[in-house]
Amino acid sequence: MALRNEPSNGLLLRADIHSLFDKALLTIDPEDCRVVLSEKLRNTSYWSLNRKIVNPAPVKPYLEAAAWRVASTSQSVTAHLPL
């Protein structure tokens, strides 16, 4: 059974933000829990979220899952992660 809805396996996202995440236009940097947006969103209202620190729920997100997501996400988002 998948642990997709396990609180320690992710973040609770608003529906529109979750859609951006699913489309690989947004990810969370597992090193510092900051939002990283694709350049495709630069001239949108979402850009104000870029590099903002995510305020995790009382259960800290499982950062290995976030790291896996970054590794498997298209270059459109991950290219903007700091090296």
Side-chain angles (χ1 to χ4, degrees):
M1 177 182 216
L3 298 176
R4 182 176 182 185
N5 294 321
E6 189 68 30
S8 64
N9 194 31
L11 298 166
L12 179 61
L13 301 174
R14 200 172 67 197
D16 59 329
I17 302 294
H18 195 134
S19 180
L20 295 174
F21 184 82
D22 286 345
K23 293 175 182 177
L25 295 172
L26 174 149
T27 194
I28 307 297
D29 184 340
E31 295 297 318
D32 59 8
C33 290
R34 289 183 186 269
V35 174
V36 181
L37 296 177
S38 165
E39 284 292 323
K40 293 177 183 177
L41 297 173
R42 179 174 286 280
N43 295 318
T44 70
S45 60
Y46 294 111
W47 195 254
S48 64
L49 300 174
N50 197 44
R51 304 306 299 158
K52 297 276 184 175
I53 295 175
V54 173
N55 185 12
V59 176
K60 190 171 182 177
Y62 188 53
L63 294 181
E64 286 183 28
W68 174 87
R69 175 66 182 214
V70 167
S72 66
T73 302
S74 75
Q75 291 298 321
S76 64
V77 174
T78 57
H80 304 288
L81 289 177
L83 298 178

